[in-house]
Amino acid sequence: MTKREVHASVKDERLVQKRREQMIKGAVALFKQKGFHRTTTREIAKAAGFSIGTLYEYIRTKEDVLYLVCDQIYDHVRERLDQALDHKKGTLESLKVGIANFYHVMDEMQEEVLIMYQEVKSLSKDALPYVLKKEIEMVAMFENLLNDCVENGELSITEKQVKIIAHDIFVQGQMWAFRRWALRKLFTLEEYIDLQTQVLFSGLGQLHGKS
């Protein structure tokens, strides 16, 4: 899917990236405290450390910020999974690395993930499909990792099994973000990753054996 363009009048790409990162950080803190609708663009500008006039050089609407949060999460996940693809592509080890990297992203970006799902209902009807499509694209990254393993003979599972397993991996990663307040009382992040991966690979082994 074509990346949605968020208008900026500033042409310096590095400056745009820097300002938008400041904006996202400030907005996430405000959205968490007050919610999307009660937060004003002026408050976002202040939290980001610049004027309202400067803010509108980098976005057009408050809704653009949610797009930017979503894109930032997607870009981080894609970057981490690309690292996994470079690590013994098409092997179970590559799949393990991809899962671990994804869970680490969910931990590092917990606040952004929570805000995205809490406030997605605030998006307009024409904007919502874009954000939901981004999530499907992230799930598809795991489908690709699994399909690489199938093509390489590491796994023997059906196309439908690939799809449901990819969603399972994605939801388990989200669960750490949504339930970290409870889970980290029981497990470290690494323990959580190890346990979830053990359960997944146990199931994959049974599926592989039946094929």
Side-chain angles (χ1 to χ4, degrees), residues 41-55:
T41 51
R42 189 173 297 279
E43 288 172 327
I44 294 173
K46 183 179 180 180
F50 40 77
S51 69
I52 186 68
T54 299
L55 179 83

Side-chain angles (χ1 to χ4, degrees), residues 86-125:
D86 292 336
H87 184 82
K88 299 180 180 179
K89 182 177 179 179
T91 65
L92 294 180
E93 182 62 24
S94 176
L95 179 59
K96 287 181 180 179
V97 172
I99 291 170
N101 286 348
F102 175 60
Y103 288 4
H104 276 286
V105 171
M106 292 296 99
D107 181 63
E108 293 162 11
M109 304 189 71
Q110 184 204 26
E111 288 193 351
E112 288 89 339
V113 172
L114 291 174
I115 291 298
M116 187 175 76
Y117 285 103
Q118 287 171 355
E119 302 298 346
V120 71
K121 61 184 180 297
S122 301
L123 293 171
S124 61
K125 290 183 179 180

Side-chain angles (χ1 to χ4, degrees), residues 146 150 154-166 168 199-211:
L146 290 161
V150 171
E154 293 276 297
L155 289 174
S156 178
I157 54 179
T158 67
E159 182 179 348
K160 284 189 175 181
Q161 287 170 336
V162 165
K163 290 186 177 298
I164 193 63
I165 292 165
D168 284 343
V199 171
L200 172 67
F201 275 72
S202 176
L204 286 174
Q206 293 179 24
L207 290 174
H208 186 78
K210 291 179 180 178
S211 300

